[in-house]
Each structure stands twice: as structure tokens, then as C-alpha cells.
Amino acid sequence: MNPEIQKYNDSQEGIYKEMCATLAEIIVKNVPQLENKIWHAHPVWFDDGNPIVGYDKLKNGLRLMFWSGASFDEPQLKQGSGKFKDASITFTSLEEINVETIERWLQKAKEIQWDYKNIVKRKGVLERLK
């Protein structure tokens, strides 16, 4: 894992430090081939330059986001603004993090991807990759 992500995780306070470490462990275990780095101030994993999954600390919890998650057909994932294909879930405790569920979502993230990498080139139009 990128040392900057470890630094991000270590900088969190209280339960959020443990929650970040747990999410990072689940992600790295299930998609070890993905590049990972701090992007827009939070940890994100990329497939060939395309953002796939990431998390960030919000006022009300820790958000796990999938850039193509709106296409996963998973009711627990809350769709974003509708402009893009993102969806997320916010955790407020370690007990809410269900490893099997996140592993299922990560499997879908490998299979279902929208091309965010070229969104500027396509003037805001997303195309499905996989």
C-alpha cells in the first residue's frame, strides 16, 4: 500500500483510524493489483488510471465510495448526485463494516467500470468500460 495512504489512515482519530485500516486491508486483499494513492486528499484505488474505490472521513462518518457503484444494483449503496455513476455508504462504527459485503462490491467494481479517466476528453460524457 502507498505510504501516503498509511499516513492518511494514521492521521485519523479514535475509531476512524481503525476503520480506515480495516477498509484498506479489505481493499488491498481483494484488488492487490490496483494502483493506490492519495487523490483529492483521500485514499483512492485505480485500475489503469481509472478511479475504482476510495474512502474519506466526513463529519458524520467514514464514506466508502465506488466510482461505478450506481451500476452495482446494491441497495445499501447510496447513489451520488446522478450526474455520475458513483455510489457510497457511510460507516459510523467498525461493526457496520461487513467484510463479505465489501468483497462482493469490490468484485463488482472489477467487472463494472465507467471511464472516468477520459471524462474530460469526452466533455463530461461517461462510457462503460467493462
Side-chain angles (χ1 to χ4, degrees):
M1 185 169 62
N2 186 311
E4 290 299 312
I5 292 178
Q6 187 63 56
K7 185 176 174 183
Y8 175 94
N9 293 349
D10 291 343
S11 74
Q12 302 306 310
E13 294 183 9
I15 190 65
Y16 294 105
K17 184 175 183 175
E18 192 173 350
M19 291 168 67
C20 286
T22 299
L23 289 177
E25 182 181 326
I26 295 167
I27 295 167
V28 169
K29 177 185 170 207
N30 286 275
V31 285
Q33 74 282 8
L34 297 185
E35 171 194 6
N36 52 82
K37 62 183 177 182
I38 297 296
W39 190 55
H40 297 286
H42 62 272
V44 178
W45 279 256
F46 297 82
D47 186 357
D48 191 28
N50 199 40
I52 303 300
V53 63
Y55 54 86
D56 62 329
K57 171 68 176 78
L58 304 174
K59 288 180 186 178
N60 64 336
L62 188 67
R63 175 177 61 175
L64 176 64
M65 186 172 118
F66 293 90
W67 269 256
S68 300
S71 299
F72 292 1
D73 193 28
E74 291 282 348
Q76 286 181 281
L77 292 174
K78 179 183 173 195
Q79 293 193 19
S81 65
K83 183 178 178 184
F84 299 112
K85 304 293 183 184
D86 61 296
S88 63
I89 186 170
T90 301
F91 302 111
T92 57
S93 72
L94 193 57
E95 293 75 30
E96 293 175 334
I97 298 175
N98 183 297
V99 176
E100 290 177 2
T101 300
I102 295 172
E103 287 177 338
R104 183 178 68 246
W105 295 339
L106 288 166
Q107 183 60 41
K108 289 184 177 189
K110 290 190 281 187
E111 298 166 3
I112 302 168
Q113 291 183 30
W114 290 86
D115 188 8
Y116 286 93
K117 177 181 169 182
N118 295 302
I119 195 168
V120 173
K121 182 171 78 173
R122 291 196 179 104
K123 298 179 177 29
V125 176
L126 280 174
E127 289 186 8
R128 183 128 179 216
L129 292 174
K130 298 181 179 186

